[in-house]
mmCIF file with all atom_site columns, all heavy atoms in Angstrom:
data_model
loop_
_atom_site.group_PDB
_atom_site.id
_atom_site.type_symbol
_atom_site.label_atom_id
_atom_site.label_alt_id
_atom_site.label_comp_id
_atom_site.label_asym_id
_atom_site.label_entity_id
_atom_site.label_seq_id
_atom_site.pdbx_PDB_ins_code
_atom_site.Cartn_x
_atom_site.Cartn_y
_atom_site.Cartn_z
_atom_site.occupancy
_atom_site.B_iso_or_equiv
_atom_site.pdbx_formal_charge
_atom_site.auth_seq_id
_atom_site.auth_comp_id
_atom_site.auth_asym_id
_atom_site.auth_atom_id
_atom_site.pdbx_PDB_model_num
ATOM 1   N N   . MET Z 1 1   ? -107.338 87.142  101.273 1.00 0.00 ? 1   MET Z N   1
ATOM 2   C CA  . MET Z 1 1   ? -106.429 88.165  100.714 1.00 0.00 ? 1   MET Z CA  1
ATOM 3   C C   . MET Z 1 1   ? -105.299 87.491  99.935  1.00 0.00 ? 1   MET Z C   1
ATOM 4   O O   . MET Z 1 1   ? -104.557 86.698  100.489 1.00 0.00 ? 1   MET Z O   1
ATOM 5   C CB  . MET Z 1 1   ? -105.860 89.017  101.850 1.00 0.00 ? 1   MET Z CB  1
ATOM 6   C CG  . MET Z 1 1   ? -105.063 90.192  101.329 1.00 0.00 ? 1   MET Z CG  1
ATOM 7   S SD  . MET Z 1 1   ? -104.669 91.369  102.635 1.00 0.00 ? 1   MET Z SD  1
ATOM 8   C CE  . MET Z 1 1   ? -106.280 92.062  102.973 1.00 0.00 ? 1   MET Z CE  1
ATOM 9   N N   . THR Z 1 2   ? -105.205 87.807  98.660  1.00 0.00 ? 2   THR Z N   1
ATOM 10  C CA  . THR Z 1 2   ? -104.244 87.103  97.827  1.00 0.00 ? 2   THR Z CA  1
ATOM 11  C C   . THR Z 1 2   ? -102.814 87.524  98.113  1.00 0.00 ? 2   THR Z C   1
ATOM 12  O O   . THR Z 1 2   ? -101.882 86.848  97.727  1.00 0.00 ? 2   THR Z O   1
ATOM 13  C CB  . THR Z 1 2   ? -104.524 87.365  96.349  1.00 0.00 ? 2   THR Z CB  1
ATOM 14  O OG1 . THR Z 1 2   ? -104.591 88.767  96.161  1.00 0.00 ? 2   THR Z OG1 1
ATOM 15  C CG2 . THR Z 1 2   ? -105.798 86.711  95.901  1.00 0.00 ? 2   THR Z CG2 1
ATOM 16  N N   . THR Z 1 3   ? -102.642 88.672  98.756  1.00 0.00 ? 3   THR Z N   1
ATOM 17  C CA  . THR Z 1 3   ? -101.285 89.153  98.986  1.00 0.00 ? 3   THR Z CA  1
ATOM 18  C C   . THR Z 1 3   ? -100.719 88.649  100.300 1.00 0.00 ? 3   THR Z C   1
ATOM 19  O O   . THR Z 1 3   ? -99.644  89.057  100.684 1.00 0.00 ? 3   THR Z O   1
ATOM 20  C CB  . THR Z 1 3   ? -101.249 90.683  99.008  1.00 0.00 ? 3   THR Z CB  1
ATOM 21  O OG1 . THR Z 1 3   ? -102.260 91.121  99.901  1.00 0.00 ? 3   THR Z OG1 1
ATOM 22  C CG2 . THR Z 1 3   ? -101.474 91.238  97.635  1.00 0.00 ? 3   THR Z CG2 1
ATOM 23  N N   . SER Z 1 4   ? -101.460 87.796  100.971 1.00 0.00 ? 4   SER Z N   1
ATOM 24  C CA  . SER Z 1 4   ? -100.960 87.274  102.233 1.00 0.00 ? 4   SER Z CA  1
ATOM 25  C C   . SER Z 1 4   ? -99.579  86.654  102.043 1.00 0.00 ? 4   SER Z C   1
ATOM 26  O O   . SER Z 1 4   ? -99.345  85.920  101.089 1.00 0.00 ? 4   SER Z O   1
ATOM 27  C CB  . SER Z 1 4   ? -101.920 86.216  102.773 1.00 0.00 ? 4   SER Z CB  1
ATOM 28  O OG  . SER Z 1 4   ? -101.226 85.405  103.700 1.00 0.00 ? 4   SER Z OG  1
ATOM 29  N N   . PRO Z 1 5   ? -98.660  86.974  102.925 1.00 0.00 ? 5   PRO Z N   1
ATOM 30  C CA  . PRO Z 1 5   ? -97.287  86.499  102.761 1.00 0.00 ? 5   PRO Z CA  1
ATOM 31  C C   . PRO Z 1 5   ? -97.200  84.972  102.730 1.00 0.00 ? 5   PRO Z C   1
ATOM 32  O O   . PRO Z 1 5   ? -96.217  84.413  102.304 1.00 0.00 ? 5   PRO Z O   1
ATOM 33  C CB  . PRO Z 1 5   ? -96.569  87.034  103.997 1.00 0.00 ? 5   PRO Z CB  1
ATOM 34  C CG  . PRO Z 1 5   ? -97.422  88.131  104.505 1.00 0.00 ? 5   PRO Z CG  1
ATOM 35  C CD  . PRO Z 1 5   ? -98.823  87.803  104.101 1.00 0.00 ? 5   PRO Z CD  1
ATOM 36  N N   . THR Z 1 6   ? -98.221  84.290  103.192 1.00 0.00 ? 6   THR Z N   1
ATOM 37  C CA  . THR Z 1 6   ? -98.134  82.834  103.229 1.00 0.00 ? 6   THR Z CA  1
ATOM 38  C C   . THR Z 1 6   ? -98.650  82.195  101.950 1.00 0.00 ? 6   THR Z C   1
ATOM 39  O O   . THR Z 1 6   ? -98.558  80.999  101.780 1.00 0.00 ? 6   THR Z O   1
ATOM 40  C CB  . THR Z 1 6   ? -98.984  82.271  104.375 1.00 0.00 ? 6   THR Z CB  1
ATOM 41  O OG1 . THR Z 1 6   ? -100.304 82.803  104.237 1.00 0.00 ? 6   THR Z OG1 1
ATOM 42  C CG2 . THR Z 1 6   ? -98.412  82.631  105.714 1.00 0.00 ? 6   THR Z CG2 1
ATOM 43  N N   . SER Z 1 7   ? -99.203  83.023  101.042 1.00 0.00 ? 7   SER Z N   1
ATOM 44  C CA  . SER Z 1 7   ? -100.019 82.412  100.003 1.00 0.00 ? 7   SER Z CA  1
ATOM 45  C C   . SER Z 1 7   ? -99.249  81.983  98.761  1.00 0.00 ? 7   SER Z C   1
ATOM 46  O O   . SER Z 1 7   ? -99.813  81.370  97.882  1.00 0.00 ? 7   SER Z O   1
ATOM 47  C CB  . SER Z 1 7   ? -101.127 83.374  99.599  1.00 0.00 ? 7   SER Z CB  1
ATOM 48  O OG  . SER Z 1 7   ? -100.547 84.507  99.005  1.00 0.00 ? 7   SER Z OG  1
ATOM 49  N N   . GLU Z 1 8   ? -97.993  82.340  98.622  1.00 0.00 ? 8   GLU Z N   1
ATOM 50  C CA  . GLU Z 1 8   ? -97.295  81.890  97.424  1.00 0.00 ? 8   GLU Z CA  1
ATOM 51  C C   . GLU Z 1 8   ? -95.932  81.294  97.759  1.00 0.00 ? 8   GLU Z C   1
ATOM 52  O O   . GLU Z 1 8   ? -95.581  81.154  98.909  1.00 0.00 ? 8   GLU Z O   1
ATOM 53  C CB  . GLU Z 1 8   ? -97.141  83.039  96.426  1.00 0.00 ? 8   GLU Z CB  1
ATOM 54  C CG  . GLU Z 1 8   ? -96.376  84.218  96.977  1.00 0.00 ? 8   GLU Z CG  1
ATOM 55  C CD  . GLU Z 1 8   ? -96.126  85.249  95.888  1.00 0.00 ? 8   GLU Z CD  1
ATOM 56  O OE1 . GLU Z 1 8   ? -95.586  84.882  94.843  1.00 0.00 ? 8   GLU Z OE1 1
ATOM 57  O OE2 . GLU Z 1 8   ? -96.471  86.425  96.082  1.00 0.00 ? 8   GLU Z OE2 1
ATOM 58  N N   . GLY Z 1 9   ? -95.200  80.928  96.745  1.00 0.00 ? 9   GLY Z N   1
ATOM 59  C CA  . GLY Z 1 9   ? -93.895  80.320  96.991  1.00 0.00 ? 9   GLY Z CA  1
ATOM 60  C C   . GLY Z 1 9   ? -93.907  78.900  96.487  1.00 0.00 ? 9   GLY Z C   1
ATOM 61  O O   . GLY Z 1 9   ? -94.938  78.225  96.489  1.00 0.00 ? 9   GLY Z O   1
ATOM 62  N N   . PRO Z 1 13  ? -95.487  76.990  103.091 1.00 0.00 ? 13  PRO Z N   1
ATOM 63  C CA  . PRO Z 1 13  ? -95.457  76.448  104.439 1.00 0.00 ? 13  PRO Z CA  1
ATOM 64  C C   . PRO Z 1 13  ? -96.778  75.750  104.728 1.00 0.00 ? 13  PRO Z C   1
ATOM 65  O O   . PRO Z 1 13  ? -97.787  76.012  104.072 1.00 0.00 ? 13  PRO Z O   1
ATOM 66  C CB  . PRO Z 1 13  ? -95.290  77.678  105.314 1.00 0.00 ? 13  PRO Z CB  1
ATOM 67  C CG  . PRO Z 1 13  ? -95.694  78.824  104.481 1.00 0.00 ? 13  PRO Z CG  1
ATOM 68  C CD  . PRO Z 1 13  ? -95.519  78.437  103.053 1.00 0.00 ? 13  PRO Z CD  1
ATOM 69  N N   . ARG M 2 49  ? -82.810  80.841  103.362 1.00 0.00 ? 49  ARG M N   1
ATOM 70  C CA  . ARG M 2 49  ? -83.084  80.700  104.806 1.00 0.00 ? 49  ARG M CA  1
ATOM 71  C C   . ARG M 2 49  ? -82.338  79.521  105.432 1.00 0.00 ? 49  ARG M C   1
ATOM 72  O O   . ARG M 2 49  ? -82.815  78.932  106.404 1.00 0.00 ? 49  ARG M O   1
ATOM 73  C CB  . ARG M 2 49  ? -84.585  80.494  105.078 1.00 0.00 ? 49  ARG M CB  1
ATOM 74  C CG  . ARG M 2 49  ? -85.481  81.548  104.498 1.00 0.00 ? 49  ARG M CG  1
ATOM 75  C CD  . ARG M 2 49  ? -86.902  81.426  105.015 1.00 0.00 ? 49  ARG M CD  1
ATOM 76  N NE  . ARG M 2 49  ? -87.848  82.020  104.091 1.00 0.00 ? 49  ARG M NE  1
ATOM 77  C CZ  . ARG M 2 49  ? -88.045  83.327  103.972 1.00 0.00 ? 49  ARG M CZ  1
ATOM 78  N NH1 . ARG M 2 49  ? -87.366  84.160  104.722 1.00 0.00 ? 49  ARG M NH1 1
ATOM 79  N NH2 . ARG M 2 49  ? -88.905  83.800  103.102 1.00 0.00 ? 49  ARG M NH2 1
ATOM 80  N N   . SER M 2 109 ? -93.057  86.011  111.524 1.00 0.00 ? 109 SER M N   1
ATOM 81  C CA  . SER M 2 109 ? -94.247  86.549  110.872 1.00 0.00 ? 109 SER M CA  1
ATOM 82  C C   . SER M 2 109 ? -93.991  87.146  109.502 1.00 0.00 ? 109 SER M C   1
ATOM 83  O O   . SER M 2 109 ? -94.939  87.352  108.746 1.00 0.00 ? 109 SER M O   1
ATOM 84  C CB  . SER M 2 109 ? -94.926  87.579  111.781 1.00 0.00 ? 109 SER M CB  1
ATOM 85  O OG  . SER M 2 109 ? -93.983  88.502  112.242 1.00 0.00 ? 109 SER M OG  1
ATOM 86  N N   . GLY M 2 110 ? -92.735  87.435  109.168 1.00 0.00 ? 110 GLY M N   1
ATOM 87  C CA  . GLY M 2 110 ? -92.484  88.083  107.882 1.00 0.00 ? 110 GLY M CA  1
ATOM 88  C C   . GLY M 2 110 ? -91.945  87.120  106.854 1.00 0.00 ? 110 GLY M C   1
ATOM 89  O O   . GLY M 2 110 ? -91.769  85.928  107.098 1.00 0.00 ? 110 GLY M O   1
ATOM 90  N N   . ARG M 2 111 ? -91.678  87.674  105.674 1.00 0.00 ? 111 ARG M N   1
ATOM 91  C CA  . ARG M 2 111 ? -91.166  86.819  104.612 1.00 0.00 ? 111 ARG M CA  1
ATOM 92  C C   . ARG M 2 111 ? -89.827  87.333  104.092 1.00 0.00 ? 111 ARG M C   1
ATOM 93  O O   . ARG M 2 111 ? -88.814  86.665  104.226 1.00 0.00 ? 111 ARG M O   1
ATOM 94  C CB  . ARG M 2 111 ? -92.210  86.777  103.498 1.00 0.00 ? 111 ARG M CB  1
ATOM 95  C CG  . ARG M 2 111 ? -91.900  85.747  102.487 1.00 0.00 ? 111 ARG M CG  1
ATOM 96  C CD  . ARG M 2 111 ? -93.091  85.491  101.589 1.00 0.00 ? 111 ARG M CD  1
ATOM 97  N NE  . ARG M 2 111 ? -92.727  84.502  100.603 1.00 0.00 ? 111 ARG M NE  1
ATOM 98  C CZ  . ARG M 2 111 ? -93.031  84.596  99.315  1.00 0.00 ? 111 ARG M CZ  1
ATOM 99  N NH1 . ARG M 2 111 ? -93.708  85.624  98.872  1.00 0.00 ? 111 ARG M NH1 1
ATOM 100 N NH2 . ARG M 2 111 ? -92.647  83.659  98.480  1.00 0.00 ? 111 ARG M NH2 1
ATOM 101 N N   . PHE M 2 112 ? -89.830  88.539  103.486 1.00 0.00 ? 112 PHE M N   1
ATOM 102 C CA  . PHE M 2 112 ? -88.587  89.064  102.913 1.00 0.00 ? 112 PHE M CA  1
ATOM 103 C C   . PHE M 2 112 ? -88.193  90.427  103.480 1.00 0.00 ? 112 PHE M C   1
ATOM 104 O O   . PHE M 2 112 ? -87.022  90.775  103.486 1.00 0.00 ? 112 PHE M O   1
ATOM 105 C CB  . PHE M 2 112 ? -88.715  89.244  101.403 1.00 0.00 ? 112 PHE M CB  1
ATOM 106 C CG  . PHE M 2 112 ? -88.963  87.955  100.664 1.00 0.00 ? 112 PHE M CG  1
ATOM 107 C CD1 . PHE M 2 112 ? -89.865  87.916  99.609  1.00 0.00 ? 112 PHE M CD1 1
ATOM 108 C CD2 . PHE M 2 112 ? -88.285  86.796  101.009 1.00 0.00 ? 112 PHE M CD2 1
ATOM 109 C CE1 . PHE M 2 112 ? -90.091  86.733  98.910  1.00 0.00 ? 112 PHE M CE1 1
ATOM 110 C CE2 . PHE M 2 112 ? -88.507  85.615  100.315 1.00 0.00 ? 112 PHE M CE2 1
ATOM 111 C CZ  . PHE M 2 112 ? -89.413  85.579  99.272  1.00 0.00 ? 112 PHE M CZ  1
ATOM 112 N N   . ALA M 2 115 ? -91.662  95.376  105.706 1.00 0.00 ? 115 ALA M N   1
ATOM 113 C CA  . ALA M 2 115 ? -93.055  95.695  105.376 1.00 0.00 ? 115 ALA M CA  1
ATOM 114 C C   . ALA M 2 115 ? -93.960  94.472  105.478 1.00 0.00 ? 115 ALA M C   1
ATOM 115 O O   . ALA M 2 115 ? -95.162  94.609  105.722 1.00 0.00 ? 115 ALA M O   1
ATOM 116 C CB  . ALA M 2 115 ? -93.124  96.285  103.974 1.00 0.00 ? 115 ALA M CB  1
ATOM 117 N N   . ASP M 2 116 ? -93.406  93.270  105.310 1.00 0.00 ? 116 ASP M N   1
ATOM 118 C CA  . ASP M 2 116 ? -94.227  92.062  105.431 1.00 0.00 ? 116 ASP M CA  1
ATOM 119 C C   . ASP M 2 116 ? -94.928  92.013  106.782 1.00 0.00 ? 116 ASP M C   1
ATOM 120 O O   . ASP M 2 116 ? -96.077  91.585  106.887 1.00 0.00 ? 116 ASP M O   1
ATOM 121 C CB  . ASP M 2 116 ? -93.355  90.800  105.293 1.00 0.00 ? 116 ASP M CB  1
ATOM 122 C CG  . ASP M 2 116 ? -92.862  90.601  103.869 1.00 0.00 ? 116 ASP M CG  1
ATOM 123 O OD1 . ASP M 2 116 ? -93.505  91.137  102.948 1.00 0.00 ? 116 ASP M OD1 1
ATOM 124 O OD2 . ASP M 2 116 ? -91.846  89.913  103.698 1.00 0.00 ? 116 ASP M OD2 1
ATOM 125 N N   . VAL M 2 117 ? -94.216  92.422  107.829 1.00 0.00 ? 117 VAL M N   1
ATOM 126 C CA  . VAL M 2 117 ? -94.774  92.366  109.170 1.00 0.00 ? 117 VAL M CA  1
ATOM 127 C C   . VAL M 2 117 ? -95.726  93.540  109.402 1.00 0.00 ? 117 VAL M C   1
ATOM 128 O O   . VAL M 2 117 ? -96.848  93.371  109.872 1.00 0.00 ? 117 VAL M O   1
ATOM 129 C CB  . VAL M 2 117 ? -93.646  92.380  110.226 1.00 0.00 ? 117 VAL M CB  1
ATOM 130 C CG1 . VAL M 2 117 ? -94.217  92.380  111.627 1.00 0.00 ? 117 VAL M CG1 1
ATOM 131 C CG2 . VAL M 2 117 ? -92.740  91.181  110.021 1.00 0.00 ? 117 VAL M CG2 1
ATOM 132 N N   . SER M 2 119 ? -97.336  95.356  107.274 1.00 0.00 ? 119 SER M N   1
ATOM 133 C CA  . SER M 2 119 ? -98.537  95.405  106.430 1.00 0.00 ? 119 SER M CA  1
ATOM 134 C C   . SER M 2 119 ? -99.423  94.173  106.608 1.00 0.00 ? 119 SER M C   1
ATOM 135 O O   . SER M 2 119 ? -100.477 94.086  105.991 1.00 0.00 ? 119 SER M O   1
ATOM 136 C CB  . SER M 2 119 ? -98.141  95.541  104.959 1.00 0.00 ? 119 SER M CB  1
ATOM 137 O OG  . SER M 2 119 ? -97.575  94.327  104.502 1.00 0.00 ? 119 SER M OG  1
ATOM 138 N N   . TYR M 2 120 ? -99.016  93.213  107.443 1.00 0.00 ? 120 TYR M N   1
ATOM 139 C CA  . TYR M 2 120 ? -99.706  91.932  107.518 1.00 0.00 ? 120 TYR M CA  1
ATOM 140 C C   . TYR M 2 120 ? -101.204 92.084  107.737 1.00 0.00 ? 120 TYR M C   1
ATOM 141 O O   . TYR M 2 120 ? -102.009 91.405  107.122 1.00 0.00 ? 120 TYR M O   1
ATOM 142 C CB  . TYR M 2 120 ? -99.100  91.085  108.654 1.00 0.00 ? 120 TYR M CB  1
ATOM 143 C CG  . TYR M 2 120 ? -99.594  89.671  108.700 1.00 0.00 ? 120 TYR M CG  1
ATOM 144 C CD1 . TYR M 2 120 ? -98.992  88.687  107.942 1.00 0.00 ? 120 TYR M CD1 1
ATOM 145 C CD2 . TYR M 2 120 ? -100.678 89.320  109.501 1.00 0.00 ? 120 TYR M CD2 1
ATOM 146 C CE1 . TYR M 2 120 ? -99.440  87.387  107.975 1.00 0.00 ? 120 TYR M CE1 1
ATOM 147 C CE2 . TYR M 2 120 ? -101.134 88.019  109.543 1.00 0.00 ? 120 TYR M CE2 1
ATOM 148 C CZ  . TYR M 2 120 ? -100.507 87.051  108.778 1.00 0.00 ? 120 TYR M CZ  1
ATOM 149 O OH  . TYR M 2 120 ? -100.954 85.763  108.821 1.00 0.00 ? 120 TYR M OH  1
ATOM 150 N N   . GLN M 2 124 ? -102.555 96.704  102.097 1.00 0.00 ? 124 GLN M N   1
ATOM 151 C CA  . GLN M 2 124 ? -101.201 96.463  101.616 1.00 0.00 ? 124 GLN M CA  1
ATOM 152 C C   . GLN M 2 124 ? -100.531 97.684  100.981 1.00 0.00 ? 124 GLN M C   1
ATOM 153 O O   . GLN M 2 124 ? -99.401  98.014  101.326 1.00 0.00 ? 124 GLN M O   1
ATOM 154 C CB  . GLN M 2 124 ? -101.210 95.333  100.582 1.00 0.00 ? 124 GLN M CB  1
ATOM 155 C CG  . GLN M 2 124 ? -101.628 94.004  101.148 1.00 0.00 ? 124 GLN M CG  1
ATOM 156 C CD  . GLN M 2 124 ? -100.508 93.404  101.974 1.00 0.00 ? 124 GLN M CD  1
ATOM 157 O OE1 . GLN M 2 124 ? -99.389  93.262  101.510 1.00 0.00 ? 124 GLN M OE1 1
ATOM 158 N NE2 . GLN M 2 124 ? -100.812 93.092  103.215 1.00 0.00 ? 124 GLN M NE2 1
ATOM 159 N N   . ARG M 2 128 ? -97.172  99.321  102.459 1.00 0.00 ? 128 ARG M N   1
ATOM 160 C CA  . ARG M 2 128 ? -95.936  98.886  101.801 1.00 0.00 ? 128 ARG M CA  1
ATOM 161 C C   . ARG M 2 128 ? -95.216  100.046 101.128 1.00 0.00 ? 128 ARG M C   1
ATOM 162 O O   . ARG M 2 128 ? -93.990  100.097 101.107 1.00 0.00 ? 128 ARG M O   1
ATOM 163 C CB  . ARG M 2 128 ? -96.242  97.786  100.790 1.00 0.00 ? 128 ARG M CB  1
ATOM 164 C CG  . ARG M 2 128 ? -96.521  96.454  101.461 1.00 0.00 ? 128 ARG M CG  1
ATOM 165 C CD  . ARG M 2 128 ? -96.314  95.324  100.494 1.00 0.00 ? 128 ARG M CD  1
ATOM 166 N NE  . ARG M 2 128 ? -96.730  94.057  101.059 1.00 0.00 ? 128 ARG M NE  1
ATOM 167 C CZ  . ARG M 2 128 ? -95.878  93.174  101.591 1.00 0.00 ? 128 ARG M CZ  1
ATOM 168 N NH1 . ARG M 2 128 ? -94.591  93.429  101.624 1.00 0.00 ? 128 ARG M NH1 1
ATOM 169 N NH2 . ARG M 2 128 ? -96.327  92.033  102.085 1.00 0.00 ? 128 ARG M NH2 1
ATOM 170 N N   . HIS M 2 394 ? -89.927  93.547  96.120  1.00 0.00 ? 394 HIS M N   1
ATOM 171 C CA  . HIS M 2 394 ? -90.970  92.805  96.814  1.00 0.00 ? 394 HIS M CA  1
ATOM 172 C C   . HIS M 2 394 ? -92.117  93.716  97.276  1.00 0.00 ? 394 HIS M C   1
ATOM 173 O O   . HIS M 2 394 ? -93.287  93.409  97.060  1.00 0.00 ? 394 HIS M O   1
ATOM 174 C CB  . HIS M 2 394 ? -90.355  92.078  98.013  1.00 0.00 ? 394 HIS M CB  1
ATOM 175 C CG  . HIS M 2 394 ? -91.334  91.290  98.815  1.00 0.00 ? 394 HIS M CG  1
ATOM 176 N ND1 . HIS M 2 394 ? -92.022  90.216  98.299  1.00 0.00 ? 394 HIS M ND1 1
ATOM 177 C CD2 . HIS M 2 394 ? -91.769  91.430  100.104 1.00 0.00 ? 394 HIS M CD2 1
ATOM 178 C CE1 . HIS M 2 394 ? -92.833  89.721  99.225  1.00 0.00 ? 394 HIS M CE1 1
ATOM 179 N NE2 . HIS M 2 394 ? -92.695  90.438  100.320 1.00 0.00 ? 394 HIS M NE2 1
ATOM 180 N N   . ASN M 2 399 ? -95.970  94.090  95.328  1.00 0.00 ? 399 ASN M N   1
ATOM 181 C CA  . ASN M 2 399 ? -97.189  94.254  96.119  1.00 0.00 ? 399 ASN M CA  1
ATOM 182 C C   . ASN M 2 399 ? -97.920  95.569  95.889  1.00 0.00 ? 399 ASN M C   1
ATOM 183 O O   . ASN M 2 399 ? -99.128  95.637  96.103  1.00 0.00 ? 399 ASN M O   1
ATOM 184 C CB  . ASN M 2 399 ? -96.875  94.066  97.599  1.00 0.00 ? 399 ASN M CB  1
ATOM 185 C CG  . ASN M 2 399 ? -96.714  92.592  97.937  1.00 0.00 ? 399 ASN M CG  1
ATOM 186 O OD1 . ASN M 2 399 ? -97.662  91.836  97.848  1.00 0.00 ? 399 ASN M OD1 1
ATOM 187 N ND2 . ASN M 2 399 ? -95.493  92.191  98.258  1.00 0.00 ? 399 ASN M ND2 1
ATOM 188 N N   . ARG M 2 547 ? -107.229 89.359  111.910 1.00 0.00 ? 547 ARG M N   1
ATOM 189 C CA  . ARG M 2 547 ? -105.886 89.406  111.322 1.00 0.00 ? 547 ARG M CA  1
ATOM 190 C C   . ARG M 2 547 ? -104.843 89.608  112.420 1.00 0.00 ? 547 ARG M C   1
ATOM 191 O O   . ARG M 2 547 ? -103.746 89.061  112.347 1.00 0.00 ? 547 ARG M O   1
ATOM 192 C CB  . ARG M 2 547 ? -105.748 90.554  110.302 1.00 0.00 ? 547 ARG M CB  1
ATOM 193 C CG  . ARG M 2 547 ? -106.457 90.364  108.968 1.00 0.00 ? 547 ARG M CG  1
ATOM 194 C CD  . ARG M 2 547 ? -105.871 89.277  108.113 1.00 0.00 ? 547 ARG M CD  1
ATOM 195 N NE  . ARG M 2 547 ? -104.604 89.602  107.449 1.00 0.00 ? 547 ARG M NE  1
ATOM 196 C CZ  . ARG M 2 547 ? -103.966 88.756  106.660 1.00 0.00 ? 547 ARG M CZ  1
ATOM 197 N NH1 . ARG M 2 547 ? -104.470 87.552  106.432 1.00 0.00 ? 547 ARG M NH1 1
ATOM 198 N NH2 . ARG M 2 547 ? -102.832 89.093  106.092 1.00 0.00 ? 547 ARG M NH2 1
ATOM 199 N N   . ARG M 2 550 ? -104.235 86.366  114.064 1.00 0.00 ? 550 ARG M N   1
ATOM 200 C CA  . ARG M 2 550 ? -103.392 85.503  113.223 1.00 0.00 ? 550 ARG M CA  1
ATOM 201 C C   . ARG M 2 550 ? -101.930 85.922  113.273 1.00 0.00 ? 550 ARG M C   1
ATOM 202 O O   . ARG M 2 550 ? -101.030 85.092  113.368 1.00 0.00 ? 550 ARG M O   1
ATOM 203 C CB  . ARG M 2 550 ? -103.879 85.568  111.776 1.00 0.00 ? 550 ARG M CB  1
ATOM 204 C CG  . ARG M 2 550 ? -105.082 84.717  111.520 1.00 0.00 ? 550 ARG M CG  1
ATOM 205 C CD  . ARG M 2 550 ? -105.518 84.829  110.090 1.00 0.00 ? 550 ARG M CD  1
ATOM 206 N NE  . ARG M 2 550 ? -104.534 84.267  109.169 1.00 0.00 ? 550 ARG M NE  1
ATOM 207 C CZ  . ARG M 2 550 ? -104.672 84.317  107.849 1.00 0.00 ? 550 ARG M CZ  1
ATOM 208 N NH1 . ARG M 2 550 ? -105.711 84.898  107.310 1.00 0.00 ? 550 ARG M NH1 1
ATOM 209 N NH2 . ARG M 2 550 ? -103.754 83.791  107.068 1.00 0.00 ? 550 ARG M NH2 1
ATOM 210 N N   . ARG M 2 554 ? -98.969  83.707  114.880 1.00 0.00 ? 554 ARG M N   1
ATOM 211 C CA  . ARG M 2 554 ? -97.869  83.334  114.006 1.00 0.00 ? 554 ARG M CA  1
ATOM 212 C C   . ARG M 2 554 ? -96.528  83.816  114.559 1.00 0.00 ? 554 ARG M C   1
ATOM 213 O O   . ARG M 2 554 ? -95.536  83.079  114.583 1.00 0.00 ? 554 ARG M O   1
ATOM 214 C CB  . ARG M 2 554 ? -98.135  83.948  112.625 1.00 0.00 ? 554 ARG M CB  1
ATOM 215 C CG  . ARG M 2 554 ? -97.103  83.621  111.609 1.00 0.00 ? 554 ARG M CG  1
ATOM 216 C CD  . ARG M 2 554 ? -97.590  84.114  110.258 1.00 0.00 ? 554 ARG M CD  1
ATOM 217 N NE  . ARG M 2 554 ? -96.461  84.207  109.361 1.00 0.00 ? 554 ARG M NE  1
ATOM 218 C CZ  . ARG M 2 554 ? -96.532  83.978  108.063 1.00 0.00 ? 554 ARG M CZ  1
ATOM 219 N NH1 . ARG M 2 554 ? -97.687  83.665  107.517 1.00 0.00 ? 554 ARG M NH1 1
ATOM 220 N NH2 . ARG M 2 554 ? -95.469  84.081  107.324 1.00 0.00 ? 554 ARG M NH2 1
ATOM 221 N N   . GLY M 2 560 ? -96.888  78.424  110.626 1.00 0.00 ? 560 GLY M N   1
ATOM 222 C CA  . GLY M 2 560 ? -97.062  79.025  109.312 1.00 0.00 ? 560 GLY M CA  1
ATOM 223 C C   . GLY M 2 560 ? -95.894  79.895  108.883 1.00 0.00 ? 560 GLY M C   1
ATOM 224 O O   . GLY M 2 560 ? -95.938  80.526  107.834 1.00 0.00 ? 560 GLY M O   1
ATOM 225 N N   . GLU M 2 562 ? -92.343  81.056  107.339 1.00 0.00 ? 562 GLU M N   1
ATOM 226 C CA  . GLU M 2 562 ? -91.669  80.647  106.110 1.00 0.00 ? 562 GLU M CA  1
ATOM 227 C C   . GLU M 2 562 ? -90.595  79.605  106.398 1.00 0.00 ? 562 GLU M C   1
ATOM 228 O O   . GLU M 2 562 ? -89.839  79.731  107.357 1.00 0.00 ? 562 GLU M O   1
ATOM 229 C CB  . GLU M 2 562 ? -91.014  81.867  105.453 1.00 0.00 ? 562 GLU M CB  1
ATOM 230 C CG  . GLU M 2 562 ? -91.995  82.950  105.046 1.00 0.00 ? 562 GLU M CG  1
ATOM 231 C CD  . GLU M 2 562 ? -92.808  82.567  103.836 1.00 0.00 ? 562 GLU M CD  1
ATOM 232 O OE1 . GLU M 2 562 ? -92.295  81.787  103.004 1.00 0.00 ? 562 GLU M OE1 1
ATOM 233 O OE2 . GLU M 2 562 ? -93.951  83.045  103.707 1.00 0.00 ? 562 GLU M OE2 1
#
Side-chain angles (χ1 to χ4, degrees):
Chain Z
M1 187 169 290
T2 53
T3 50
S4 160
T6 53
S7 65
E8 59 174 306
Chain M
R49 305 191 204 283
S109 50
R111 190 166 179 224
F112 298 139
D116 289 337
V117 178
S119 71
Y120 188 86
Q124 296 285 306
R128 285 201 187 261
H394 179 63
N399 283 294
R547 287 292 285 180
R550 281 180 66 184
R554 181 172 162 147
E562 298 287 331

